[in-house]
Amino acid sequence: MRAILILGFCAAWAVAASAANGPPAEAFRVLPAAATEAPAISPYLKYQTEMAWQEDDQRLKAWNGIRTEQDLLRVQRELEKQLLAMLGGLPSERTPLHPQITGQIQMDGFHIEKLIFESLPGVYVSALVYVPEDGIKRHPAILVPVGHAANGKAYYQALCQRLVQRGYVVICWDAVGQGERSQFWDARAGKSRYNLICAEHAVLGNLAYLANTNLARWEIWDGMRALDYLLTRPEVDPRRINITGSSGGGFQAAHIAALDSRIKAAAPSCYITALPMRVYNRIFKDPDSDPEQDLYGMISNHADHAGLLLMMYPRPVFVAAAVLDFFPIEGTRKTVREVTELYSKFHHADRIGVAEGYHDHQYSPQNQEAAIDFLDHFNGLPARRGLPPVRQLDEKALQCTRTGQVMLDFENARSLMDVIREYYLEHKNQPAKTLKQLYDSELYPRINSWSVAEFQGDIPGREEVRWEARGNSDFEGVTIEKYLLHHSRYLELPLLYIHKGGSSRRPVMLWFGDNGKATAQDWPGLSKYLAAGYDILSVDPRGLGETRMAYKAVSPDDPALAQLDIDHAYVNPLSGVLSDYVYNSLLTGRPYFLQMIEDAEIATRFFQGHFNPQAEFVVTGTNDAYTLASAVSETLPNVRLLPQPDIQIIKWSEIVDRKTELWPIEYLLPGGAYVH
């Protein structure tokens, strides 16, 4: 231990000494330091929100062309095609469910059956089935997918009891990563390695993106198989199957109903909004990583939550909302209004309803009553007033498994990490785009044709770079010039041009560090490149380095994450500002990883336009940033990668193949596993 401490002290001293022997830290700073740590509407957040609203305008323009019901059905079919593509399709085979009833609880007027079934071979689902005891042979049924609660289905028992007492057969199941379905259970510690609210979803969902699918694929499939099970029950009327759920359950309810026409009526709660508003507020109100709620291209493909509701047409749909929710109520009103206009245009205005409770994120009793009354009407049940009483049961009493976890109860149980890897292996030999093809896709902003000029204090256009000199300093024959590049109306790119005096025809090195552009601590390495004959360009990609939001956005649900310092909290893949930036970029169809490459191209465009049109570029990076450097060399013309034999490039295929749980969130690229 003493030797380790001595080595650590020596390393720290060496870093401090090298920094002391180089230029001062201020020579590398372009922007003023943030005065305080606080939430802020950053330029990048403005940019992301504006992109989302532009794409939403395109959707509305297309929807304005819906003149006939046939037009609407055509849009429906296109939405279904887009949604399935964003999910990576659904499983093709309905394999045997192998249902097992592991116990029963007698209640007053109904009973609860403990059920375990397999949605896929080896994928076990723990569920509760609430069955009325009212002497009626056939009942309407309702699926209740759970929201983000660590104890899963046990948390939603009050809603289920109210529904069964209204005459519904109810099935409520644990979502993967919650309740009895932890995928990362530590049997010795008696808990998951991650929290069972959102964190397991983050680990699973980020891996799924790389395989060009989404965690929602399997959540939706679980719900469809739960419906399959209901149809085997003699008490269930197959013509009256419904769905309701709140929060993450509202997400599942909307998607399952959109894709499964067997559902007669749907009532999602605390989910429906307009996604551009979620782009704007998620960092401050709901920072947890929850990848299944961010389908790649959900806004850019002109779907959004309005598209989900439109896919249910002409079936009855009821939206329950909370005025103080982190799903913005203004977005709820906008979305419901748009879809209601179409329902009304074709004489189905009575089939869409909404309730707003003046409260925070919850499926309140008043909203439950309004939703159940709506469902009762369309299921031919008698009108009733008020909600029946409930008897809250202990979580242990509702446990379906012997051990409390399906992964422990069943020897052949498969982790969803394995299932995602299998999905990748099944698709890996199909034709895939190169990284350059992905970069040059439809949403590429044509940086190669942008104009370059000096900044005059005005707002830059969408296709121009305006440079602003921010001072320079000299150190032992080396000049460090500081610039701020204004572009894309809102964005600012801090840039350093580090060079020796004399000729400006030296090859130019694009240099990336782990946290953005070069700092005083990087001087020893930079000096070697300068001595080798390179000039150096170094930038802070959007949302990193000096453009980082000085705010610690961490999960309120996980005390361990709340203890992280701001630097680690910012880049944490389970909950943080950077991960929310990344998911926003996926919604709008231009992954953050590709946008970092855009920043490299903007830097080269500036240099060519301001200094040397014939400049030759090489690129390198430290540690994980070498992966970005490699990607830049693959995508940008005339940029050569400087070999670094001691640094490994992150390979997305290896992350999936090895089922790596945590990795740098900024390198998330949907379908990346097929690129390398």
Side-chain angles (χ1 to χ4, degrees), residues 116 180 400-413:
I116 298 174
E180 296 180 72
C400 299
T401 57
R402 177 182 53 83
T403 63
Q405 290 295 323
V406 294
M407 296 291 289
L408 299 181
D409 263 30
F410 299 95
E411 290 184 359
N412 68 332

Side-chain angles (χ1 to χ4, degrees), residues 16-199:
S18 65
N21 293 329
E26 188 58 31
F28 297 85
R29 176 166 282 281
V30 176
L31 296 171
T36 57
E37 294 180 7
I41 306 302
S42 66
Y44 187 36
L45 190 55
K46 286 183 184 178
Y47 171 84
Q48 290 191 313
T49 306
E50 180 65 18
M51 179 182 287
W53 281 123
Q54 287 174 8
E55 292 171 347
D56 189 66
D57 288 343
Q58 294 167 9
R59 176 186 62 82
L60 285 174
K61 184 178 179 180
W63 281 27
N64 288 336
I66 298 176
R67 307 296 183 194
T68 67
E69 196 167 23
Q70 287 303 312
D71 291 337
L72 190 154
L73 296 177
R74 174 183 49 78
V75 171
Q76 255 190 355
R77 290 191 295 271
E78 181 60 29
L79 285 168
E80 181 180 24
K81 179 181 176 182
Q82 293 280 13
L83 183 55
L84 286 171
M86 289 185 278
L87 293 170
L90 291 172
S92 58
E93 183 182 359
R94 281 180 153 79
T95 52
L97 291 168
H98 297 136
Q100 306 176 43
I101 302 298
T102 63
Q104 181 170 311
I105 303 172
Q106 187 62 47
M107 304 289 282
D108 186 13
F110 65 96
H111 67 267
I112 305 171
E113 297 178 12
K114 301 177 181 183
L115 168 70
I116 298 174
F117 66 89
E118 294 178 65
S119 60
L120 291 167
V123 177
Y124 289 91
V125 181
S126 43
L128 298 173
V129 183
Y130 297 72
V131 184
E133 295 177 341
D134 54 10
I136 299 174
K137 282 189 174 183
R138 285 289 182 100
H139 299 80
I142 189 159
L143 294 90
V144 180
V146 303
H148 290 99
N151 58 349
K153 61 193 179 305
Y155 187 85
Y156 291 90
Q157 59 177 296
L159 171 62
C160 295
Q161 288 188 34
R162 288 165 180 151
L163 287 164
V164 70
Q165 292 182 81
R166 282 287 190 104
Y168 295 88
V169 175
V170 184
I171 186 167
C172 181
W173 65 98
D174 287 323
V176 64
Q178 294 175 256
E180 296 180 72
R181 296 185 66 197
S182 169
Q183 304 296 290
F184 306 100
W185 193 256
D186 184 334
R188 181 175 297 179
K191 63 179 183 179
S192 171
R193 297 199 298 279
Y194 308 99
N195 74 67
L196 290 174
I197 300 174
C198 290

Side-chain angles (χ1 to χ4, degrees), residues 347-414:
H347 314 296
H348 295 305
D350 64 318
R351 296 187 185 181
I352 185 164
V354 63
E356 295 182 10
Y358 193 81
H359 48 70
D360 59 8
H361 184 73
Q362 59 172 298
Y363 203 172
S364 62
Q366 59 265 41
N367 278 3
Q368 287 185 33
E369 183 175 2
I372 295 171
D373 287 348
F374 180 90
L375 294 171
D376 283 354
H377 170 71
F378 286 100
N379 284 277
L381 296 178
R384 308 184 192 185
R385 292 195 175 276
L387 294 174
V390 299
R391 177 161 65 94
Q392 199 77 10
L393 299 176
D394 179 77
E395 183 179 328
K396 186 84 171 176
L398 295 173
Q399 184 175 297
C400 299
T401 57
R402 177 182 53 83
T403 63
Q405 290 295 323
V406 294
M407 296 291 289
L408 299 181
D409 263 30
F410 299 95
E411 290 184 359
N412 68 332
R414 290 194 297 157

Side-chain angles (χ1 to χ4, degrees), residues 320-335:
V323 172
L324 305 180
D325 203 347
F326 48 74
F327 288 99
I329 189 64
E330 296 86 355
T332 310
R333 292 165 179 159
K334 174 184 182 297
T335 294

Side-chain angles (χ1 to χ4, degrees), residues 67 80 155 182 227 330 405 427 470 488 624 667 676:
R67 307 296 183 194
E80 181 180 24
Y155 187 85
S182 169
L227 196 162
E330 296 86 355
Q405 290 295 323
H427 293 81
R470 285 294 185 105
S488 308
D624 288 341
Y667 295 114
H676 286 302

